Amino acid sequence: MTAGGHAALEEELKRRQQVERPRIIEAISEARAHGDLSENAEYHAAKEQQALNEGRIAELEDKLSRAEIIDVAKLTGDTVMFGATVKLIDEDTEEERVWQIVGDMEADAKAGRISISSPMARALIGKKLGTSVEVVTPKGARSYEIAAVRFA
């Protein structure tokens, strides 16, 4: 996991513990005050929210406790590896794409971060600058040239 991804997960954990948890507890208390709990939709909805929030808190605590943080700034070279930001050129369309290879928990394709376990990342890992790579994706096989590899 990158340091940025670790910080984002810690921030989410803190928000869920310090903001969401008290808000949900207040909603449960308010719903209890309405009387009969067996037919109280607000109470059941708040309890469901509480279960989802506590489940996510447990998941985040587990991920953060087992996370191995890799400082991308200390990496160098022209070989694609975890943490690398890779500029690819589609050999058919000449379209440029830039991806950073990150951990599963911090992947966000819209932000240009792909999971280390994605088909694209698996095809790129270990390849050198200037190499042509064929990637099999759900949309079919595509060929890319690795135009740049940087670590920032």
Side-chain angles (χ1 to χ4, degrees):
M1 177 177 294
T2 64
H6 190 267
L9 292 180
E10 281 184 328
E11 183 61 37
E12 180 185 353
L13 177 62
K14 183 178 174 183
R15 180 184 55 79
R16 286 184 175 275
Q17 289 176 327
Q18 296 177 359
V19 177
E20 293 298 316
R21 186 182 275 166
R23 183 189 60 76
I24 293 169
I25 291 170
E26 179 62 34
I28 291 171
S29 297
E30 197 174 297
R32 272 195 183 132
H34 292 281
D36 186 12
L37 298 181
S38 64
E39 296 179 14
N40 189 331
E42 289 175 10
Y43 175 77
H44 293 291
K47 288 298 278 185
E48 186 175 332
Q49 264 189 326
Q50 183 182 38
L52 292 173
N53 190 56
E54 294 302 321
R56 181 64 178 161
I57 287 172
E59 179 185 8
L60 289 170
E61 287 174 338
D62 177 57
K63 296 284 185 193
L64 289 169
S65 70
R66 294 184 301 116
E68 184 178 327
I69 301 167
I70 297 173
D71 187 358
V72 178
K74 292 182 181 178
L75 301 175
T76 59
D78 62 355
T79 302
V80 179
M81 63 182 85
F82 179 86
T85 300
V86 184
K87 180 179 177 182
L88 301 171
I89 299 175
D90 188 312
E91 292 181 345
D92 295 331
T93 65
E94 297 297 316
E95 180 185 348
E96 291 185 3
R97 302 291 307 253
V98 178
W99 298 108
Q100 182 182 19
I101 300 172
V102 297
D104 294 331
M105 291 289 293
E106 54 191 315
D108 180 1
K110 290 180 182 174
R113 295 187 307 266
I114 58 172
S115 166
I116 186 89
S117 58
S118 70
M120 176 74 81
R122 286 196 316 259
L124 292 171
I125 294 294
K127 303 295 190 287
K128 291 202 174 285
L129 179 65
T131 305
S132 183
V133 178
E134 185 167 314
V135 180
V136 179
T137 66
K139 292 182 179 179
R142 306 290 299 248
S143 292
Y144 296 96
E145 179 185 340
I146 300 173
V149 178
R150 61 184 168 82
F151 300 93

